[in-house]
Every structure is written in C-alpha cells, then in structure tokens.
Amino acid sequence: MTLTNKLAVWFILSSTASTAMAVDISGNVGAEWREFPNAGQYNTSDVEQARHQFSISAEPEFAWETEDGKHQLVFKAFGRLDNEDDERSHADIREASWLTYGDDWELKAGISKVFWGVTESQHLVDIVNQTDFVEAPDGEEKLGQPMIKMSLIRDWGLIDAFILPGFRERTFAGEDGRFRLPLDIDADDALYQSDDEAQHIDVALRWAHTLGDYDLGLSYFKGTSRDPLFVPQFDETFQPDSLAPLYVLIDQVGFDLQATLDSWLWKLETIYRSFDEDKIESDYGNLGVEAESFTALTGGFEYTFYDLAESGWDLGALAEYQYDSRDDATLVLGQNDVFMGGRLTLNDAESTEVLFGMSQDLDDQATRSLLLEAETRLGDSIKLNIEGLLFHSATPENLSYRFIQDDYVQVSLYYYY
C-alpha cells in the first residue's frame, strides 16, 4: 500500500469516527470534447494518435467541520475516463486532509494542493505539487501531495513549513494520446537519484508578507524534482524504444513579487535550481541533455482598462518576459520568450471571462504559440469552458516543434452540485 493510499485510509477512518460533524457535499461532473485538426505527428503503421477525444470526469468533495470550527476534514477525489488515451483515464486523491488552528498558527496533515506564484504565462516557483500533465498540457493541473504543513502567522509575515513524504510521479499521455514525445514514456520504470526512490522525504519553506502595495514571497525546496529528465531505454538490437523518467534531487530557491499600483499589476517570479551534476553524470552518463544548475525568471505586468467604453467590461493587457539561463530551446520553452495577451472580464452574472495570448520565441522568429481560454456559467449549476492552443515552429530542434501537430480546441461542460 502506497503512502498516498495509507493516508486516504486514515482519512476515511477518521472521518467515520467523526459522526458528530456537519458534512458538506459538493463537487462537479463533466463532459469534455477535444478536437485535433491535424493527424498525429508520431503516427506509425501500428499507432494512430487521437483526432477526436471524448472524456467524462467527476470531482466529488466532502467537507466536515466540528461545531467550534477548530477541526476540518476535507476529501476531494478526481477521476476521468477517456475514450482514446488509456493513460488519460486516471484517478487521483486531490485532497484528504485534516486542518486545525490556533490564534497564530495552523496545522494541516494529509494529502493536499498548494499553489505558489503570481505570473500568468508560467509558474516557476510553484513546486510542491506534481503536474498532472494528461489533464492540461500547460501544467496548470496538479496531483494531490502527501504533506504536513505548519503555518505561523507573525507581524513580519506568514511562514509555511512543509514535510513532504511520498513522491508523486508525473502523468504522461499514452502512445495513442497527444502532447507526447517521439518515444513512448515508460512511467512504470521510473528512475530515482535517491536510494529511497518515491519514499524520499522532501522539505519546503515559504515566507510571505505584504508591505503596502507589495506582496512578497521567498521559498526554499529540497528534495526530488517534479520535472523529470529522461533516460533512453534500448531494445535487443540496441535501438532506443522508450524513455524512462528520471527524478533527481534538487535544491531550489524562489522569489515572487506582485505590486498593485492603481491599474497596474507588476509581477515577478524567479528561481535558482541546483543539481549534483557530477553525481548525475557518473550514475547515468550522457542523457542527451545536461542536468546543469540554472536560473529562470518570468516578469511583466497586467494593466487593466476598467469599464471599457462604458460597457461594464474590463480588459487587462498582459505582457511577460521569460528567461532561462540554460539558453537551450531543445530543453525548455521559455528560455528567451515573450508572452503578450489580454484578459476580458464581462462582469456579468455568468462570470464570463476570456484569456488570450501569444508566446513568441525571441531567438527563433518561426516559433510561437497561441492560446485561448474562455469560461461562463449557463444558469446556476452549469459551467462552459472553451480552450484552444495552436503551435507553430519550423525548427525541429526547438521543443515546441514536437507539438506542432497538436493544435486543439477543447469544449467542456461541468455540472456543479
């Protein structure tokens, strides 16, 4: 039984014993359609990547709270069934946590999700939870993470200290799915730098504080990287036939800043991530990419035009610059890129909002991507989401080139209860 399952069992038993608590049941069920206009980039005589992908999902949530509000239990599960990609049919416990608090402290234990970050185009400092990549290719969806979190509230800021037992491996599309690499990823044979493998205990610390118009965050993480490297696996003829994810140990220091100055939001995220480069090279040899320590940065602004032409609509203009010191477009998407876009908020009863934008590689004028995200409510209980993503690249060495056939439109309907 994995640590995640043990925590879930503990949570259910604890919840059963807490019959005096009031129970709040909520959640959603959804249906999603993805349409890919282009044939799969890695189609073969045996494999045809999906063109029309339909799936259903459910995300129930149960919340308990004692009468004095001092103890809270939350259980939130997620599951999806996909008609084309077996790897995208998956389930996860997003939350199974107990929370209690005092006047100037808060303690949470179990499985939970934490978000750090302020920028729009990518979240460099957000490192606690693993990416649920089959859910969203932009990395916005995360898996639940076992954790013990202690928060201390002080005049000089909020301190969050994390013990993170139990590593979550990233999800990857199957060979029939989209947003995959040329070689199949053998997630069942993941490799770890730590001898404790997935049982390695990670730690994290974050300080956050507000000084006037400025929100600051400083974070530190020590443990297993959520971003895998890949080790080629060979068949009996010594030809590479798959990739094994390799999760190495890292240290990461992060800083984020958001300044709210009238209609301006200035945003910055930056990290320094270090590896034991010699150890990785001696253990795994040439990976095809260098596991070098690096600095990365995303910074920019959002300027909001309120009540546009007296319509009641707000339009935010977004611009962010992305930098990565590795300067390797075969390894990272945002090594020297700029993102420009807008956020249109209708301020209507349906909470309609549209986000659109373009990322442009400044080192490769032929490489860019376009995105569109729109959402609105249909009545009190139904939510409509529309997403689109377009890739363009004429440079095979650029990481974006691996997805140029994966342009898609996605329409989702969710019923909330």
Side-chain angles (χ1 to χ4, degrees):
M1 182 180 288
T2 66
L3 179 60
T4 301
N5 290 335
K6 291 178 181 176
L7 287 170
V9 170
W10 166 83
F11 177 85
I12 292 170
L13 292 175
S14 301
S15 304
T16 304
S18 305
T19 54
M21 294 180 173
V23 180
D24 182 27
I25 301 175
S26 60
N28 68 79
V29 292
E32 176 188 286
W33 181 265
R34 276 182 172 180
E35 186 73 20
F36 298 89
N38 302 315
Q41 192 167 356
Y42 306 115
N43 283 349
T44 67
S45 57
D46 299 322
V47 175
E48 183 174 357
Q49 292 181 265
R51 295 284 298 271
H52 322 288
Q53 215 165 347
F54 176 74
S55 65
I56 56 175
S57 65
E59 194 172 38
E61 180 173 349
F62 306 87
W64 297 260
E65 184 176 280
T66 55
E67 290 185 0
D68 61 4
K70 290 290 187 180
H71 300 272
Q72 299 171 10
L73 294 168
V74 178
F75 180 81
K76 186 176 185 179
F78 174 80
R80 180 178 297 282
L81 288 175
D82 189 284
N83 73 323
E84 291 286 351
D85 185 356
D86 291 340
E87 297 298 328
R88 198 162 185 258
S89 295
H90 69 300
D92 182 49
I93 298 172
R94 301 300 206 210
E95 187 94 22
S97 64
W98 162 69
L99 181 145
T100 188
Y101 61 89
D103 292 338
D104 58 358
W105 59 271
E106 182 180 285
L107 175 65
K108 176 183 279 190
I111 300 169
S112 190
K113 294 207 294 186
V114 174
F115 174 73
W116 297 344
V118 295
T119 56
E120 188 67 45
S121 56
Q122 62 177 351
H123 304 299
L124 294 171
V125 301
D126 190 29
I127 194 173
V128 171
N129 291 84
Q130 177 60 274
T131 298
D132 192 353
F133 189 69
V134 297
E135 274 302 302
D138 59 4
E140 294 285 337
E141 295 294 333
K142 301 291 183 177
L143 299 171
Q145 168 66 47
M147 67 174 65
I148 300 172
K149 174 188 174 189
M150 185 70 192
S151 300
L152 300 176
I153 305 166
R154 298 291 184 267
D155 293 338
W156 40 268
L158 172 66
I159 296 290
D160 290 327
F162 297 83
I163 299 174
L164 306 169
F167 179 75
R168 304 298 312 280
E169 295 176 355
R170 182 168 294 190
T171 59
F172 296 101
E175 60 179 4
D176 297 326
R178 292 298 185 124
F179 301 101
R180 49 159 291 193
L181 297 175
L183 294 176
D184 191 28
I185 296 176
D186 189 358
D188 294 332
D189 288 323
L191 305 171
Y192 291 87
Q193 182 182 355
S194 169
D195 293 336
D196 294 328
E197 300 188 339
Q199 304 308 314
H200 184 270
I201 297 177
D202 304 336
V203 294
L205 189 67
R206 176 178 165 85
W207 167 79
H209 193 42
T210 298
L211 294 173
D213 298 326
Y214 299 86
D215 297 314
L216 304 95
L218 183 63
S219 57
Y220 173 69
F221 173 88
K222 184 178 185 62
T224 304
S225 175
R226 275 49 180 161
D227 298 325
L229 303 172
F230 295 101
V231 180
Q233 306 295 294
F234 298 89
D235 61 18
E236 60 276 6
T237 64
F238 302 104
Q239 295 299 312
D241 67 348
S242 65
L243 298 169
L246 168 62
Y247 298 98
V248 300
L249 297 174
I250 63 167
D251 290 82
Q252 176 172 305
V253 177
F255 174 74
D256 56 86
L257 168 67
Q258 178 167 290
T260 305
L261 306 173
D262 296 325
S263 297
W264 293 89
L265 281 178
W266 293 92
K267 305 177 181 182
L268 172 70
E269 292 186 31
T270 183
I271 60 169
Y272 174 72
R273 182 178 297 182
S274 59
F275 304 82
D276 187 342
E277 301 168 16
D278 295 337
K279 174 70 173 172
I280 295 171
E281 183 174 353
S282 66
D283 288 350
Y284 301 102
N286 184 10
L287 299 175
V289 296
E290 189 173 354
E292 60 177 309
S293 302
F294 67 93
T295 300
L297 176 151
T298 301
F301 67 83
E302 177 174 356
Y303 182 84
T304 301
F305 300 91
Y306 293 102
D307 194 16
L308 196 64
E310 299 183 349
S311 63
W313 298 0
D314 298 335
L315 176 63
L318 296 156
E320 292 180 354
Y321 173 69
Q322 303 170 345
Y323 165 78
D324 192 299
S325 64
R326 290 170 290 185
D327 193 26
D328 185 351
T330 66
L331 187 61
V332 291
L333 293 173
Q335 92 289 354
N336 183 27
D337 294 45
V338 64
F339 170 82
M340 295 176 292
R343 187 199 319 275
L344 180 64
T345 305
L346 302 193
N347 296 315
D348 55 358
E350 293 75 27
S351 302
T352 305
E353 185 170 298
V354 180
L355 174 68
F356 54 93
M358 179 182 77
S359 290
Q360 172 66 54
D361 190 328
L362 299 179
D363 292 330
D364 183 356
Q365 296 301 314
T367 296
R368 67 186 67 90
S369 61
L370 303 170
L371 73 85
L372 171 70
E373 298 176 0
E375 63 179 34
T376 189
R377 288 205 316 268
L378 304 175
D380 294 333
S381 304
I382 297 177
K383 187 176 181 180
L384 170 66
N385 284 24
I386 299 174
E387 295 182 17
L389 195 54
L390 303 176
F391 296 94
H392 179 76
S393 179
T395 308
E397 294 77 18
N398 196 297
L399 183 58
S400 291
Y401 189 85
R402 299 174 182 178
F403 309 115
I404 58 171
Q405 294 291 101
D406 290 334
D407 299 345
Y408 78 100
V409 174
Q410 174 180 299
V411 180
S412 309
L413 276 175
Y414 296 97
Y415 173 75
Y416 286 82
Y417 55 89

